């Protein structure tokens, strides 16, 4: 009850919920692409399972935050002259997620450009379990990113500096649950829109490639990789990435609007519709 009466807690909750939704955009895009290959009746199930898995993973990781933070400890240090660093649990998980996302995105783009589609209903049925496995694997990576952001934003210090360990945990769990509920509401319309527009699908897959590269850079940064004696790999600021995504979406929406307007029938001043069957008098007018 003390948390509910604290205005700073509400500000932290709203801010963290907004950030969780922003960080969940890549999750929704991936869900849309993967579920779009399933049978129509299986698509909502895959989206619900995917988002509920995301919520479960994040809450579990929050309760095991001490273990999550311990994954920063290096277990293998190396210096091979041209490259040096120290591998840890976080770097391997994030780097592996980036590789998986790159592989999945590039292979999906290849299939779409080659015109390869799921053929039989048997294949589509089998792909539901495969889609859930892919969603679960990638959700682990996205959950690590989400939890590290949440921990960095909500202070667990004792009041009045922070909200205390219990209060911070309550705020983070509430923000995760609220953001997942919002994404559950909008996942269906977003997936429908993405699957109905091939250009949006390619754009979404391109976003996933960007996110994959960002995860590779983040994993290399967590491993403190250095090349040729001192050139350190830095993480890519997420603000730049999400600005590029939203700007590209804005341009694509303008493009879709222009295409929609160009398909409207042209009406002549004498109320005859231009349908390539105009008389000589119409052309003269």
């Amino acid at each position: 009850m003390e948390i509910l009466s604290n205005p700073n807690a509400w500000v932290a909750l709203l801010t963290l919920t907004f950030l969780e939704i922003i960080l969940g955009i890549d999750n929704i895009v991936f869900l849309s692409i993967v579920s779009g290959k399933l049978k129509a009746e299986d698509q909502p199930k895959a989206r619900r399972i995917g988002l509920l898995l995301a919520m479960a993973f994040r809450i579990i990781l929050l309760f095991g935050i001490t273990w999550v933070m311990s994954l920063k400890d290096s277990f293998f240090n190396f210096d091979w002259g041209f490259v040096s660093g120290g591998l840890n649990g976080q770097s391997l998980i994030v780097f592996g997620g980036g590789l998986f996302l790159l592989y999945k995105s590039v292979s999906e783009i290849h299939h779409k450009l080659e015109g390869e589609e799921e053929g039989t209903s048997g294949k589509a049925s089998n792909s539901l379990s495969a889609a859930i496995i892919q969603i679960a694997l990638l959700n682990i990576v996205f959950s690590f990113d989400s939890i590290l952001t949440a921990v960095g934003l909500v202070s667990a210090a004792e009041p009045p500096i922070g909200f205390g360990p219990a209060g911070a945990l309550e705020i983070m769990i509430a923000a995760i649950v609220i953001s997942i509920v919002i994404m559950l509401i909008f996942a269906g319309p977003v997936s429908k829109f993405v699957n109905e527009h091939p250009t949006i699908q390619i754009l979404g897959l391109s976003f996933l490639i960007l996110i994959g590269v960002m995860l590779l850079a983040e994993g290399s940064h967590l491993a403190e990789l250095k090349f040729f004696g001192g050139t350190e790999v830095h993480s890519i600021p997420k603000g730049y990435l999400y600005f590029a995504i939203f700007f590209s979406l804005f341009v694509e929406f303008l493009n879709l609007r222009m295409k929609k307007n160009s398909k409207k029938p042209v009406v002549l001043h004498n109320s005859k519709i231009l349908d390539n069957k105009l008389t000589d008098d119409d052309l003269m007018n």
Side-chain angles (χ1 to χ4, degrees):
M1 295 302 294
E2 294 180 2
I3 290 293
L4 294 177
S5 62
N6 187 345
N8 292 329
W10 285 101
V11 172
L13 176 61
L14 292 175
T15 304
L16 184 55
T17 301
F18 175 75
L19 287 177
E20 288 291 334
I21 294 172
I22 296 298
L23 291 173
I25 290 175
D26 43 16
N27 206 342
I28 291 181
V29 172
F30 184 77
L31 280 173
S32 302
I33 300 298
V34 173
S35 64
K37 301 180 68 176
L38 304 176
K39 294 186 294 185
E41 60 269 22
D42 289 336
Q43 292 180 14
K45 184 190 300 184
R47 290 193 294 266
R48 284 195 301 270
I49 293 175
L51 289 173
L52 290 176
L53 281 174
M55 182 173 68
F57 284 145
R58 293 174 190 188
I59 292 176
I60 290 171
L61 289 175
L62 273 177
F63 281 104
I65 192 62
T66 303
W67 173 75
V68 172
M69 300 307 292
S70 70
L71 292 177
K72 287 185 176 181
D73 300 332
S74 299
F75 60 81
F76 178 72
N77 297 305
F78 58 92
D79 187 353
W80 298 331
F82 66 96
V83 61
S84 63
L87 298 180
N88 55 55
Q90 287 188 7
S91 65
L92 289 179
I93 291 173
V94 174
F95 197 89
L99 286 177
F100 172 74
L101 207 54
L102 279 178
Y103 164 76
K104 186 64 180 176
S105 305
V106 172
S107 62
E108 286 294 329
I109 290 177
H110 172 75
H111 292 329
K112 291 185 181 298
L113 292 179
E114 293 295 325
E116 300 176 14
E117 300 291 342
E118 296 288 348
T120 64
S121 59
K123 289 183 179 179
S125 177
N126 292 333
S127 65
L128 175 60
S129 57
I132 292 175
I133 293 174
Q134 294 175 34
I135 291 168
L137 290 175
L138 203 61
N139 267 328
I140 295 175
V141 180
F142 288 153
S143 296
F144 266 91
D145 190 28
S146 172
I147 292 308
L148 294 176
T149 301
V151 171
L153 181 66
V154 182
S155 174
E158 294 297 332
I161 299 175
F163 305 104
L169 187 62
E170 292 171 2
I171 292 172
M172 289 186 284
I173 291 177
I176 289 171
V177 172
I178 294 171
S179 62
I180 293 296
V181 169
I182 293 174
M183 286 189 281
L184 277 170
I185 294 172
F186 289 99
V190 170
S191 296
K192 184 174 182 292
F193 180 78
V194 169
N195 292 325
E196 287 179 352
H197 297 84
T199 55
I200 294 293
Q201 291 183 28
I202 297 298
L203 193 60
L205 289 168
S206 302
F207 293 161
L208 293 180
I209 290 177
L210 282 177
I211 295 167
V213 172
M214 181 196 72
L215 291 175
L216 291 179
E218 181 71 20
S220 301
H221 177 69
L222 290 171
E224 299 180 351
L225 289 185
K226 295 180 180 179
F227 292 93
F228 302 106
T231 305
E232 185 176 352
V233 179
H234 296 281
S235 59
I236 302 173
K238 294 182 177 65
Y240 295 157
L241 181 66
Y242 288 114
F243 173 79
I245 290 175
F246 285 120
F247 181 76
S248 301
L249 279 175
F250 175 71
V251 173
E252 185 59 26
F253 285 145
L254 291 179
N255 187 33
L256 291 174
R257 185 65 182 269
M258 288 180 62
K259 288 182 179 179
K260 183 178 179 181
N261 290 336
S262 65
K263 292 180 181 179
K264 291 181 179 179
V266 180
V267 181
L268 299 179
H269 71 279
N270 58 358
S271 300
K272 291 186 178 181
I273 299 178
L274 183 60
D275 59 359
N276 296 327
K277 295 180 180 179
L278 299 178
T279 64
D280 293 338
D281 292 337
D282 290 333
L283 294 174
M284 290 295 293
N285 291 332

